[in-house]
Amino acid sequence: MIGQLRTRLGLYAPSVVADDLGGTITTWSFQHALWAAIRPKTLSETRENGRLSVTQSYLVILRYRRDFPERARLIWGDRILRVIAASDPDTRGERLHLICEEERQ
């Protein structure tokens, strides 16, 4: 498994702070650098307000982390991947499988 983890990612977790108007401001702070394997999973097209929108999802495999945040983002070069789901596929605490969607900026 270690030989497959060739892609360097940055793990970011949210910090939510109240603003002056009663709302909240979410900022993303760097937590760790990770090595991962990334595989394209699905590509879907939808129409939003008369425009074509493309969503790419990925399967990201990394070493198991007990402290992986419930909400997270991964930075992969100039791409931002939003973590949708995380699971330990064989419940042995060796790998963590993440389903991620690429965020468009």
Side-chain angles (χ1 to χ4, degrees), residues 36-104:
I38 300 178
R39 298 184 193 138
K41 190 164 176 63
T42 61
L43 182 67
S44 61
E45 297 177 349
T46 58
R47 291 218 176 260
E48 294 179 7
N49 300 325
R51 295 177 53 196
L52 183 64
S53 175
V54 178
T55 303
Q56 174 72 53
S57 68
Y58 297 91
L59 171 63
V60 178
I61 302 170
L62 48 102
R63 286 186 178 177
Y64 184 80
R65 298 186 62 92
R66 187 177 310 276
D67 63 344
F68 196 83
E70 186 175 323
R71 287 180 56 207
R73 279 183 176 170
L74 301 172
I75 304 297
W76 175 29
D78 59 350
R79 298 177 183 185
I80 299 173
L81 304 179
R82 181 178 61 242
V83 178
I84 304 298
S87 68
D88 180 5
D90 53 9
T91 65
R92 293 184 355 197
E94 293 178 357
R95 293 175 291 167
L96 194 58
H97 284 202
L98 308 175
I99 304 298
C100 301
E101 284 185 352
E102 186 173 353
E103 291 186 4
R104 300 290 178 187

